[in-house]
Amino acid sequence: MRKEYRCNVVSKCMLNTDTAFIEIKCPEIASAAHPGQFVNISCSRFLKRPFGIASVDKDSGTFKVGVKVVGKGTSEIAAFEAGQEVDVLGPLGNGFVIEAGKKYILVAGGTGVFPVNFAHEVMASEGIEHVVVEGFRCKDQIVLGDPSYILTTDAGDAGIHGNCCDGLDTLSEDQVKDSVVMCVGPLPMMKAVGNWAASHGLKAYVSMEQRMACGIGICLVCVCKIKAERAGEEFDHKRCCKDGPVFPFEEVIW
Amino acid sequence: MSNPISVKVGSVELKSPIILASGTCNFGHELSEYYDLSILGGLSSKGLTIKPRVGNPGVRVAETAAGMLNSVGLQNPGVDYFIEHDLDYMDSLGCARIINVAGHSFDDYMAMIDKLAPHKDKIDALEINLSCPNVKAGCMSIGSDPEQIKLIVSSMRKKTDLPLWIKLTPNVTDIKTMALAAQEGGADAVVLINTLLGMAVNIKTRRPVLNNNTGGYSGPAVKPVAIRMVSECYQVLDIPIIGCGGISNYEDVLEFMIAGASAVEIGTASLVHPTCPVDITADLKDWCEKSGESLSSLTGTLQLW
């Protein structure tokens, strides 16, 4: 049976002025989590807040999430310190399918760097060939960068001047060939990256986002438009939390 | 005492007063990953319509201080799909099978009864949704007119022996009039209350947070409104009441029952703590053990000043 876990924050650091990196102890979640999945974390507000799992340490039974302050709930959670008790549901959602023998192009923008960090972590430890391309507004916004990543900034003050697609264009033919693209970021960015993948004949998966309540598929508020399976229907509303958040790019109606 | 928390809603026997409210448990699949749903008195299905509905577009939820607004808009796979794919599953859960029936017109509701009546062996009660605030026609507009309530309930009554529980909207001037109309139409019980119509405004964009502009307000904040309506209706009705609105712990259940409810529905609390009905069930048993009372004896014991 799944559970709602009462957990403790074990460490917290600020990655920049408005983004915290929080480590929470929960061996059950740490051992079950896949890249692309998320957790729902409580604060004093009515509803929990969803965060993509950014890193897992199975030995210590902890996982990490990145918390960018966007409102009162995230502001409170970003201020949590070690010892803080939280209620956590997870791991939630379907996550990315990572297969041995395949190679991947991971693309992140905004808070998408957190789930992509987890995917990178898993692929690196399992020896799965992959490249990471991340786009930021400017140098100050870069978090969790790695020397192996291809970084882009809109402002041009770090990495390649441009967006993720400009970063993707720098990949060699060998790097691109037969890769699967996984993308997490703002909707316009994911659409652009999905189109880039399609133009190179690559399969792409995107992680959708919508205002969420339960996180477990019972309230139906966090839906996105997905091409309908039934004949005669234009689209279905699928739940980001339960049917997703990861969907094949070509099934999303943008 | 055999089972001190068992209750009856008319002819329907429930092993516990706790029913999962429609729209907050789908058909049970997801929550059964968290606990054994056979501990429940019942589960009320997602509101069903004759044709599948994709529901409303855009943002469908707005958090409030002690609750939330939703504007899902009755997204559901349609009654035919439900009968084919989910009814047997609901039948297997080991709690009462309540099917929530919604519609846009008189004819829709009648057609729904025709679809469901042949499956009465797998249904314990039909919960007739005359109260969803998030669709343009039917539901709340029918549920705020006593003549239409009476007509629709009496017409359904002629079509089926299945218990008819009428879920009413609080967005009316006098809830008693609506509940009495349901009773006169032949309802077996009323469910009080569905969500309150509300709105939230984004102060930066100066637009409603919800793309539907308005939504249904639920959560602990609405509980006093629901209790007041249960109490008012208990004083005038002969049929049982199922209380619903902001219940999140066992004391809330007791409060509703004392005010006049024979059973209760838990909704929004499941969205916050999916296993809260497990804790509430244990706490109710504990309360019965300590007090020496059975829950069913509580109904309507409120003494007004």
Side-chain angles (χ1 to χ4, degrees):
Chain A
M1 286 281 173
R2 287 172 162 269
K3 275 176 72 179
E4 179 174 357
Y5 300 102
R6 175 63 55 90
C7 311
N8 279 295
V9 172
V10 292
S11 75
K12 194 274 289 276
C13 66
M14 294 304 290
L15 298 174
N16 60 33
T17 52
D18 63 356
T19 310
F21 205 38
I22 291 178
E23 183 179 21
I24 293 172
K25 178 138 187 161
C26 185
E28 295 89 343
I29 292 176
S31 66
H34 290 293
Q37 291 188 298
F38 65 98
V39 290
N40 252 8
I41 298 177
S42 67
C43 58
S44 68
R45 311 287 294 174
F46 186 66
L47 297 168
K48 293 186 177 69
R49 299 294 190 264
F51 301 97
I53 298 169
S55 177
V56 155
D57 183 339
K58 288 184 185 176
D59 294 336
S60 66
T62 62
F63 67 90
K64 289 179 180 167
V65 292
V67 180
K68 184 174 172 62
V69 175
V70 292
K72 287 172 183 160
T74 46
S75 170
E76 184 187 332
I77 293 170
F80 284 167
E81 296 294 344
Q84 173 73 41
E85 210 167 62
V86 287
D87 291 331
V88 184
L89 286 169
L92 304 173
N94 57 359
F96 289 110
V97 177
I98 297 172
E99 292 178 89
K102 287 198 175 174
K103 60 175 188 167
Y104 295 90
I105 300 170
L106 307 178
V107 193
T111 54
V113 299
F114 298 112
V116 160
N117 184 72
F118 186 18
H120 164 67
E121 217 174 73
V122 168
M123 288 178 183
S125 77
E126 293 179 6
I128 291 170
E129 192 181 341
H130 67 286
V131 290
V132 180
V133 178
E134 293 187 343
F136 299 94
R137 281 205 308 278
C138 58
K139 190 179 177 185
D140 292 349
Q141 294 290 314
I142 296 173
V143 293
L144 301 187
D146 181 282
S148 69
Y149 293 0
I150 295 166
L151 298 182
T152 69
T153 52
D154 297 337
D157 54 354
I160 295 161
H161 189 179
N163 59 31
C164 283
C165 289
D166 298 314
L168 288 166
D169 283 337
T170 67
L171 296 175
S172 70
E173 209 170 297
D174 268 0
Q175 283 174 307
V176 171
K177 193 171 182 286
D178 298 328
S179 285
V180 176
V181 175
M182 293 176 168
C183 181
V184 195
L187 289 181
M189 173 238 168
M190 291 199 291
K191 185 179 178 183
V193 169
N195 284 329
W196 180 91
S199 71
H200 289 75
L202 304 181
K203 177 91 178 167
Y205 294 87
V206 292
S207 181
M208 301 300 286
E209 196 174 65
Q210 180 55 281
R211 294 265 191 121
M212 203 173 269
C214 72
I216 62 170
I218 55 175
C219 70
L220 275 60
V221 303
C222 65
V223 294
C224 60
K225 280 187 177 180
I226 299 294
K227 282 180 187 160
E229 289 159 18
R230 284 191 303 270
E233 302 281 338
E234 186 202 343
F235 67 91
D236 277 334
H237 272 139
K238 296 265 190 184
R239 302 162 296 182
C240 288
C241 71
K242 187 75 178 176
D243 305 310
V246 177
F247 293 95
F249 168 73
E250 72 275 9
E251 290 182 16
V252 177
I253 297 177
W254 298 88
Chain B
M1 252 184 292
S2 48
N3 173 11
I5 69 164
S6 69
V7 297
K8 279 179 84 171
V9 177
S11 61
V12 183
E13 294 186 20
L14 304 173
K15 70 175 84 120
S16 151
I18 296 169
I19 298 165
L20 296 186
S22 179
T24 59
C25 58
N26 235 348
F27 305 112
H29 298 91
E30 298 82 3
L31 283 170
S32 65
E33 294 178 16
Y34 287 83
Y35 64 100
D36 178 358
L37 302 185
S38 72
I39 67 157
L40 297 166
L43 181 145
S44 180
S45 77
K46 176 74 196 168
L48 293 164
T49 48
I50 278 287
K51 291 195 174 145
R53 279 181 59 88
V54 294
N56 291 323
V59 172
R60 293 175 166 189
V61 62
E63 187 181 53
T64 68
M68 57 180 267
L69 295 160
N70 90 80
S71 58
V72 172
L74 281 179
Q75 178 175 336
N76 81 91
V79 67
D80 290 329
Y81 186 95
F82 166 77
I83 289 168
E84 197 175 329
H85 294 92
D86 299 300
L87 181 58
D88 284 337
Y89 179 76
M90 270 185 72
D91 183 34
S92 74
L93 292 174
C95 62
R97 306 143 300 179
I98 320 298
I99 310 302
N100 188 285
V101 173
H104 304 291
S105 66
F106 178 89
D107 291 345
D108 272 4
Y109 284 95
M110 296 308 128
M112 286 292 291
I113 304 298
D114 290 338
K115 291 271 189 191
L116 290 164
H119 303 279
K120 65 178 185 181
D121 292 348
K122 294 174 183 169
I123 299 171
D124 291 293
L126 297 175
E127 182 175 68
I128 311 303
N129 180 348
L130 299 183
S131 41
C132 177
N134 292 324
V135 293
K136 289 193 170 66
C139 283
M140 193 173 89
S141 62
I142 293 171
S144 46
D145 177 347
E147 289 307 314
Q148 284 198 66
I149 293 173
K150 192 174 162 184
L151 174 67
I152 214 159
V153 175
S154 60
S155 304
M156 285 188 286
R157 179 77 293 159
K158 286 177 196 147
K159 283 181 170 286
T160 180
D161 299 333
L162 277 167
L164 296 173
W165 296 359
I166 313 303
K167 189 164 184 179
L168 292 172
T169 173
N171 304 305
V172 293
T173 311
D174 180 11
I175 190 74
K176 298 191 295 298
T177 312
M178 310 304 155
L180 283 167
Q183 177 174 287
E184 284 166 27
D188 296 275
V190 289
V191 184
L192 302 170
I193 58 176
N194 205 320
T195 54
L196 289 145
L197 192 59
M199 183 188 265
V201 172
N202 181 326
I203 57 171
K204 289 189 189 129
T205 61
R206 303 195 182 187
R207 299 192 69 142
V209 175
L210 300 173
N211 282 78
N212 190 50
N213 293 324
T214 58
Y217 187 27
S218 65
V222 312
K223 193 187 81 177
V225 178
I227 300 260
R228 185 264 295 175
M229 291 189 166
V230 167
S231 173
E232 280 184 357
C233 289
Y234 183 79
Q235 292 162 53
V236 298
L237 287 182
D238 300 320
I239 56 174
I241 299 167
I242 294 124
C244 180
I247 295 173
S248 54
N249 57 53
Y250 83 99
E251 288 162 313
D252 294 341
V253 177
L254 299 181
E255 220 181 310
F256 267 91
M257 293 190 74
I258 291 167
S262 297
V264 295
E265 293 191 355
I266 291 181
T268 304
S270 290
L271 312 187
V272 182
H273 299 295
T275 57
C276 76
V278 179
D279 300 330
I280 296 175
T281 304
D283 290 344
L284 286 172
K285 284 183 176 163
D286 194 41
W287 182 86
C288 289
E289 199 172 302
K290 284 183 179 142
S291 68
E293 292 188 68
S294 67
L295 283 189
S296 58
S297 66
L298 277 186
T299 299
T301 51
L302 180 71
Q303 282 190 288
L304 293 172
W305 294 104

